[in-house]
């Protein structure tokens, strides 16, 4: 089961682009990289998922280099409402898959 | 997406008692899961709630302490038994979109439990 490493916290300002990098050195061939967002007093919310190269949706982009040992979640033009904890997970699509929610990155956005 | 509600939203309980947490989903789902999250910490999977059969527990969690029911495809309960202050935590249920936790999950708002 691949373990992930993320920065404990990050600070940024409204309107900036924020990049959160996750390290997953022992990622396996069948593993996907998934990001969840959690606001205080709420359950986590799925943001984005990818296998390689770049994935973009209406909320974020996910960049995965060729060796897949790391990935970067990119949040364009953040606002105060993006203040949350962001979790990077490595998952495999099988009936017996396991996941580990790491410690996450606490992102604080300032005006 | 699925809309998930949990009851109660919070509770304060005495040591040695039990609390049952309910999780209701607005649509039929195959996979339901229960997590624990201590304040300021990450989430830990307790078990997978299987409809019509016994729940599948993760290492470190046992049925006697955390009995789970799953009577149908929209409802599940988690009981925290014989509580101690160490059980103070946020308990969350989630539903999966695929065969296991590896697939995208939708989470409920959580139940904040304090044991005194």
């Amino acid at each position: 089961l691949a373990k992930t490493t993320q920065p404990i916290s990050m600070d940024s300002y409204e309107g900036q682009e924020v990049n959160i990098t996750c390290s997953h050195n022992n990622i396996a061939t069948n593993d996907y990289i998934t990001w969840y967002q959690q606001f205080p007093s709420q359950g986590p919310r799925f943001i984005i998922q990818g296998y390689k190269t770049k994935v973009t949706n209406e909320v974020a982009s996910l960049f995965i280099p060729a060796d897949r040992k790391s990935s970067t979640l990119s949040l364009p033009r953040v606002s105060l409402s993006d203040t949350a904890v962001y979790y990077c997970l490595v998952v495999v699509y099988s009936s017996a898959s396991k996941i580990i929610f790491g410690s996450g990155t606490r992102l604080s956005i300032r005006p | 997406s699925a809309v998930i509600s949990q009851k109660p939203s919070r509770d304060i309980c005495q040591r040695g008692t039990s609390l049952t947490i309910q999780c209701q989903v607005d649509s039929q789902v195959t996979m339901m899961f229960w997590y624990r999250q201590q304040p300021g910490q990450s989430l830990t999977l307790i078990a997978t709630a299987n409809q019509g059969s016994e729940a599948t527990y993760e290492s470190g969690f046992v049925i006697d302490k955390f009995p789970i029911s799953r009577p149908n495809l929209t409802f599940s309960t988690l009981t925290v038994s014989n509580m101690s202050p160490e059980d103070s935590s946020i308990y969350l249920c989630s539903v999966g979109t695929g065969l296991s936790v590896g697939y995208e999950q939708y989470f409920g708002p959580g139940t904040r439990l304090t044991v005194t």
Side-chain angles (χ1 to χ4, degrees), chain B residues 5 7-8 15 20-21 23-24 26 30 36 40 52 56 60 66 69 75-76 80-81 90 98 107 113:
Chain B
S5 59
K7 290 182 181 179
R15 181 196 302 259
T20 296
I21 302 168
C23 179
Q24 180 75 53
D26 67 342
T30 301
R36 182 172 70 182
T56 304
F66 298 100
S69 77
F75 186 79
S76 178
V80 186
S81 303
I90 300 169
F107 284 81
L113 170 63

Side-chain angles (χ1 to χ4, degrees), chain A residues 11-65:
Chain A
D11 295 327
S12 189
Y13 293 91
E14 281 191 296
Q16 300 295 306
E17 177 184 79
V18 172
N19 295 311
I20 307 174
T21 297
C22 176
S23 171
H24 27 79
N25 290 321
N26 59 338
I27 190 169
T29 303
N30 296 327
D31 289 343
Y32 283 71
I33 297 109
T34 304
W35 287 79
Y36 281 83
Q37 173 192 55
Q38 186 175 27
F39 297 112
S41 301
Q42 294 185 26
R45 181 175 74 102
F46 175 90
I47 303 176
I48 197 167
Q49 182 179 76
Y51 184 81
K52 62 180 179 180
T53 63
K54 177 183 176 181
V55 179
T56 298
N57 62 22
E58 64 276 7
V59 177
S61 294
L62 179 59
F63 298 91
I64 306 168

Side-chain angles (χ1 to χ4, degrees), chain A residues 36 38 41-44 46 87 91-95 97-99 101-102 106, chain B residues 35 37 40-43 58 92 99-105 107-109 112:
Chain A
Y36 281 83
Q38 186 175 27
S41 301
Q42 294 185 26
F46 175 90
Y87 295 99
V91 303
V92 59
Y93 286 104
S94 78
S95 60
S97 66
K98 302 286 186 181
I99 59 171
F101 274 86
R106 188 171 299 274
Chain B
Y35 288 83
Q37 183 176 32
Q41 304 297 315
S42 185
L43 288 81
E58 298 300 308
L92 302 106
L99 300 174
S100 68
V101 288
Y103 294 77
E104 179 179 347
Q105 297 176 61
F107 284 81
R112 183 179 292 268

Side-chain angles (χ1 to χ4, degrees), chain B residues 42-76:
Chain B
S42 185
L43 288 81
T44 301
L45 180 65
I46 297 172
T48 299
N50 301 307
Q51 195 268 327
S53 64
E54 195 170 280
T56 304
Y57 290 84
E58 298 300 308
S59 176
F61 298 96
V62 295
I63 187 172
D64 290 346
K65 176 67 175 177
F66 298 100
I68 289 171
S69 77
R70 178 85 192 273
N72 56 52
L73 294 176
T74 63
F75 186 79
S76 178

